Each structure stands twice: as C-alpha cells, then as structure tokens.
Amino acid sequence: MTWLDRAPKLKLLPDNNKRPPYPLSWDEQRRLFNELPDHLVEMSLFAINTGCRDQEICNLRWDWEVAVPQLGTSRFHLFTENSPRMVMTVLVVLNRIAESVVTSCRGRHPDHVFTYHGKPTTRMMNKGWLRARKASGVTFR
C-alpha cells in the first residue's frame, strides 16, 4: 500500500502563453531561407524534414548515427531530456533531404553534425534567425 489513499487532483496551468502552430507557405519558406545564413538553412532544412527540436539538432553528434543500408539512408538515436531526471532515446530516420543535409556536413567537425565557424552550435533561434525573419517579412501570427 502506498502512503496516499488516492492521487490528488491537480489543476493544470493555462496555456495562455503558447502561440499556436503556424505552418509556413512555400513562398514564406523560400523567402525566409533566402535570408538565413547557410548554417541555419542546413539546420532548418533538417528540422522541417525530421521534426526534431532546436536542442536536439544543436546537440546532434556523429556517434549517434547508425547506417541503414537496406533503406539507403541512416538514422540517429537522439538522447533528449524531457525533465531533469528523465532522458529518452528518440529514433530519427532521415528522408532524402535530411540525408543530403547530413552528407553536406560530413568532415566539418569530428563530434558534432552542425557547426558554425568550426564550433558546435548552441541554438538555432539567434540573431541571424531574427534578422532573416525580419528581412523576409515572414510573421508568425
């Protein structure tokens, strides 16, 4: 028997601060990608073709890659943290676009897939991203 007779009722916090998802049109994506620096274009293409989050992409390591010759591609075993004490393994199989992005990054860094000036990136949403967003005129409602 546990020390509680039953689980207590929990009141969930409102999601007032969350912005609803906004899918970009092809034109908006083209305009935004034309303004992004090359390293952010690569990371963004990988993101939209895998569904990976910012930190998963920034922390992506070569030793997490596993080749899948039967499919003619590879996959990554990502280690993502959902809470301070819970680490999950996520399997990401690459489509041809994500595979081409990874292929173009080979040889740049011994450990990390995505880099900027030879150093691993720490985040995608940086000044370059904000400048490109403003210059492209793309607004996320």
Side-chain angles (χ1 to χ4, degrees):
M1 183 165 195
T2 64
W3 59 277
L4 290 174
D5 291 338
R6 61 186 171 233
K9 284 190 175 186
L10 298 175
K11 184 177 180 181
L12 297 176
L13 297 174
D15 287 341
N16 296 343
N17 293 334
K18 287 188 177 179
R19 184 176 57 209
Y22 175 73
L24 291 177
S25 69
W26 288 109
D27 179 57
E28 289 171 323
Q29 179 181 313
R30 182 189 49 74
R31 289 192 336 246
L32 180 63
F33 279 30
N34 283 339
E35 297 295 334
L36 284 172
D38 290 340
H39 73 287
L40 289 178
V41 169
E42 290 174 339
M43 295 173 81
S44 299
L45 272 173
F46 188 85
I48 63 175
N49 283 282
T50 61
C52 289
R53 294 181 273 178
D54 185 305
Q55 284 307 300
E56 293 169 342
I57 294 169
C58 292
N59 295 325
L60 197 62
R61 301 176 61 87
W62 290 114
D63 57 347
W64 296 351
E65 184 180 26
V66 178
V68 185
Q70 299 89 340
L71 299 177
T73 187
S74 62
R75 65 182 185 203
F76 280 90
H77 289 272
L78 306 182
F79 302 94
T80 184
E81 214 173 290
N82 283 355
S83 68
R85 294 182 299 164
M86 186 175 161
V87 176
M88 293 177 47
T89 302
V90 177
L91 176 66
V92 178
V93 179
L94 307 181
N95 65 13
R96 63 181 166 74
I97 296 172
E99 178 72 29
S100 70
V101 170
V102 169
T103 301
S104 72
C105 294
R106 287 194 195 284
R108 293 185 193 167
H109 193 272
D111 300 321
H112 289 84
V113 176
F114 296 106
T115 60
Y116 181 63
H117 291 303
K119 296 181 182 176
T121 55
T122 55
R123 59 192 178 133
M124 289 176 62
M125 304 300 167
N126 55 25
K127 290 179 186 175
W129 179 269
L130 296 175
R131 279 189 215 115
R133 188 173 148 186
K134 187 175 183 178
S136 68
V138 174
T139 57
F140 301 97
R141 297 174 186 82

